[in-house]
Amino acid sequence: MKRIRKAVLPVAGLGTRFLPATRAMPKEMLTVVDRPVIQHVVDEARAAGIEHVVFVTGRNKNVIEDHFDRQFELEATLRDRGKMKELGLLESETPGAGATSFTRQQAPLGLGHAVWCARDIIGDEPFALLLPDMLHLGAKPFLADMMEAYSRTGGNLIGVYPVDESETNQYGIVDIGGSSDKVAEIRRMVEKPPRGTAPSNLAISGRYILQPTIFNLLETQERGAGGEIQLTDSMLTLAKSEPFHAVRFDGAVYDTGSKLGFLAANVAYALSRDDIAPDFKAIVKAHLG
Ligand code: UTP
């Protein structure tokens, strides 16, 4: 079984749900507590053993490339001022030389198209795919759980989490035949099932492990929902010939691409930090009256 070494992070979306914040600033660079959303996701990938991160970018996204580069001036200033803790933090969170790649999607034709743009950099290897606007807050980095599951199942894996029954029509939903196992074979996937027809309440959370065969399917994938090239459509075809397993995430998932999801993430991440939680709780309490 080939090891998962690389992760794809598609960051070429327009972020229309978060206008006007995203006029010139990518939504992935909005800050949750003290680091950009995308830094949280890169940290998750690296903690799971990912060695190389491929960013699929678009217009206005240069700031992401700069964020993951070394900042010599800043490092020198921190060193001069004896701010060794801050310096250590910067160094530990910056991927090493050659450990990142950036490719342009050129036009936001959909998530499936963005993933396909990474094909040459990924090559003939299975890879992780992390949607960088989806944050997973749990006891352990979720991708690490998925890697562990992959070492047992091989094939393709999709991260899922339970959502309210009344909201299943907003998500990609998987059917695992009523199994309560953390890792279970997927029988069916449906994208945004009409109300009352969802086979379960397990929604796709934005974490995947995929075989490179997906690229051949994406190459000829026709436009689907919303006129976009949809990843789910190619996964449905791939599921006819390769196994797909769901891995359940037991923590909390935040869609930071939506205003409320972003605010909720900030509250939850602040409350999960020992250095911030006590003072932050007092501030929130004061606001609630
Ligand atoms: P979303 O649909 O959440 O992102 O796509 P969006 O299109 O930026 O957001 P809205 O709906 O307009 O507010 C999920 C992920 O796929 C990426 C996005 O950047 C996001 O991380 N994506 C989406 C691309 O890279 N390219 C695309 O063409 C579409």
Side-chain angles (χ1 to χ4, degrees), residues 10-17 27-28 105 108-111 114 131-133 257:
V11 286
L14 296 178
T16 54
R17 283 171 298 156
K27 62 178 173 182
E28 298 83 3
Q105 190 185 4
L109 299 179
L111 175 60
L131 302 196
D133 47 359

Side-chain angles (χ1 to χ4, degrees), residues 14 55-56 58 60 79 91 93 116 124 135 144 151 161 164 175 178 210 228-229 234 262-263 269 274 278:
L14 296 178
F55 297 88
V56 181
N60 286 339
R79 200 169 292 115
E91 282 175 355
E93 289 188 351
W116 177 74
D124 191 26
L135 289 186
S151 66
Y161 69 115
D164 204 275
D175 175 8
L210 295 169
E228 295 193 334
I229 297 170
S234 287
F262 174 78
L263 292 171
Y269 275 73
D274 292 342

Side-chain angles (χ1 to χ4, degrees), residues 7-106:
V8 175
L9 271 65
V11 286
L14 296 178
T16 54
R17 283 171 298 156
F18 223 131
L19 282 167
T22 48
R23 277 167 70 133
M25 164 75 91
K27 62 178 173 182
E28 298 83 3
M29 286 302 290
L30 298 174
T31 307
V32 168
V33 184
D34 57 3
R35 62 205 65 210
V37 170
I38 197 160
Q39 177 82 60
H40 288 279
V41 178
V42 167
D43 290 350
E44 178 190 339
R46 293 177 75 210
I50 292 295
E51 295 163 11
H52 191 111
V53 181
V54 183
F55 297 88
V56 181
T57 72
R59 55 176 272 288
N60 286 339
K61 308 280 177 162
N62 291 344
V63 64
I64 296 176
E65 198 162 340
D66 290 341
H67 179 80
F68 289 105
D69 198 1
R70 287 192 62 184
Q71 313 285 338
F72 285 106
E73 267 184 20
L74 178 60
E75 288 172 22
T77 308
L78 290 175
R79 200 169 292 115
D80 284 351
R81 295 186 182 171
K83 294 196 178 258
M84 302 320 276
K85 194 171 141 224
E86 288 80 359
L87 185 65
L89 195 71
L90 274 196
E91 282 175 355
S92 69
E93 289 188 351
T94 308
T100 52
S101 297
F102 295 83
T103 186
R104 288 256 172 167
Q105 190 185 4
Q106 297 181 342

Side-chain angles (χ1 to χ4, degrees), residues 4 60 147 255:
I4 316 285
N60 286 339
M147 296 283 231
D255 178 2

